[in-house]
Amino acid sequence: MVKHIVTFKLKGDDAVRKEYSMKFKEALMALPAVIPCLESMEVGINENPAETWDLVLTAVVPTMADVEVYAKHPSHVAAASIIAPVKDSRACVDYEF
């Protein structure tokens, strides 16, 4: 199994970042129902004002190859487009467990 963990830093004021984070979370949480290799999805919106990252997702897929299948799936691409206008930074770690 592979954990795919991604953090996002968004641009804009608190209200804008929160709005985009909520829309993105909703879209991401719908993905396990439409992407067969996606075993699970967890999305967290940062609540600590002392931190600068806005959002984290943890997806679980069976293999490293499935990370690419998930990433290229049209539903994932559509979800990612939600935050494209406000995405400042992205960091990712993929590891087998």
Side-chain angles (χ1 to χ4, degrees):
M1 299 297 283
V2 175
K3 281 199 180 179
H4 172 72
I5 302 173
V6 187
T7 60
F8 296 91
K9 188 181 296 186
L10 306 180
K11 298 181 276 190
D13 63 26
D14 289 346
V16 167
R17 293 189 339 268
K18 183 74 164 190
E19 175 187 351
Y20 277 89
S21 292
M22 294 298 290
K23 288 178 184 178
F24 189 41
K25 178 180 180 175
E26 183 179 332
L28 290 172
M29 294 305 295
L31 295 180
V34 296
I35 302 177
C37 68
L38 187 54
E39 304 259 334
S40 67
M41 173 68 71
E42 181 178 343
V43 180
I45 297 172
N46 186 23
E47 296 177 18
N48 183 347
E51 299 297 334
T52 60
W53 292 87
D54 295 291
L55 182 79
V56 63
L57 74 84
T58 303
V60 176
V61 295
T63 68
M64 269 310 175
D66 289 321
V67 174
E68 188 171 344
V69 171
Y70 155 76
K72 292 182 177 181
H73 191 282
S75 295
H76 173 264
V77 172
S81 73
I82 292 169
I83 62 163
V86 296
K87 184 171 69 175
D88 182 36
S89 300
R90 175 189 178 275
C92 178
V93 175
D94 295 313
Y95 65 91
E96 293 183 345
F97 69 102

